[in-house]
Amino acid sequence: MHHHGYSWLGSAHELLKDGPRRPLHPEFGSSKVVPLECAHWLLKPASFVQGTWTDSRQAAEWFGQQVRASAVAFASERERDAIRLSEAVARAGERVASGEDVVGGWYLTGQRFLSVCLIACSPHRLRPELPCPVGTAERINPVPGTPTA
């Protein structure tokens, strides 16, 4: 099993548009907005994968890097707390190690939204029928943050 990393930073208003977030919608494959069902990230093009890991610590490090890079702009002061962020990264590592998805979402100033996800693959626990978007084990990253495409 491995996990793919996905992140999206965009207008919070885009989250209100259900269509492009559903697999049957014509824009789904080209829209980078987070899908309604997080496992559906696996149906997006391989170019949307921002990293792939078999090591839970490395996956959690990437998750933490993505979150911390935007933390200063979190709309909630509570969410910006460094201890709280460190705890979220630690929990991410635990969840990845158990084969679960890690899904994080934060509202940012300027009516923006950040989504950072680690999606289990080969197989996904709840959606084992979904194919791996990358397709081969050779594309798995040994280093956090290294792009797969």
Side-chain angles (χ1 to χ4, degrees):
M1 171 175 291
H2 57 272
H3 280 73
H4 296 299
Y6 300 90
S7 68
W8 176 76
L9 174 61
S11 166
H13 298 291
E14 292 298 308
L15 295 175
L16 301 175
K17 298 178 185 175
D18 271 10
R21 298 179 66 200
R22 295 180 185 274
L24 296 178
H25 193 276
E27 294 176 28
F28 179 80
S30 61
S31 174
K32 291 190 177 186
V33 68
V34 63
L36 287 174
E37 182 179 335
C38 291
H40 286 161
W41 271 119
L42 300 175
L43 298 174
K44 298 273 189 173
S47 62
F48 288 16
V49 175
Q50 296 179 8
T52 302
W53 303 271
T54 55
D55 183 287
S56 61
R57 289 168 297 162
Q58 291 178 340
E61 286 175 26
W62 176 84
F63 182 86
Q65 290 169 354
Q66 302 302 305
V67 174
R68 287 184 185 108
S70 295
V72 68
F74 285 178
S76 166
E77 183 177 332
R78 181 174 166 249
E79 296 293 332
R80 290 190 294 260
D81 180 70
I83 294 171
R84 185 175 175 82
L85 290 173
S86 293
E87 290 170 349
V89 172
R91 282 190 309 274
E94 293 168 6
R95 291 179 56 200
V96 169
S98 68
E100 296 179 45
D101 294 339
V102 176
V103 177
W106 297 267
Y107 284 96
L108 281 69
T109 58
Q111 298 182 347
R112 296 172 298 151
F113 189 84
L114 171 67
S115 171
V116 180
C117 301
L118 291 165
I119 306 298
C121 189
S122 294
H124 188 274
R125 284 176 32 168
L126 302 175
R127 305 286 262 146
E129 74 280 6
L130 296 179
C132 179
V134 176
T136 63
E138 298 90 53
R139 304 280 303 273
I140 296 174
N141 295 328
V143 180
T146 303
T148 58

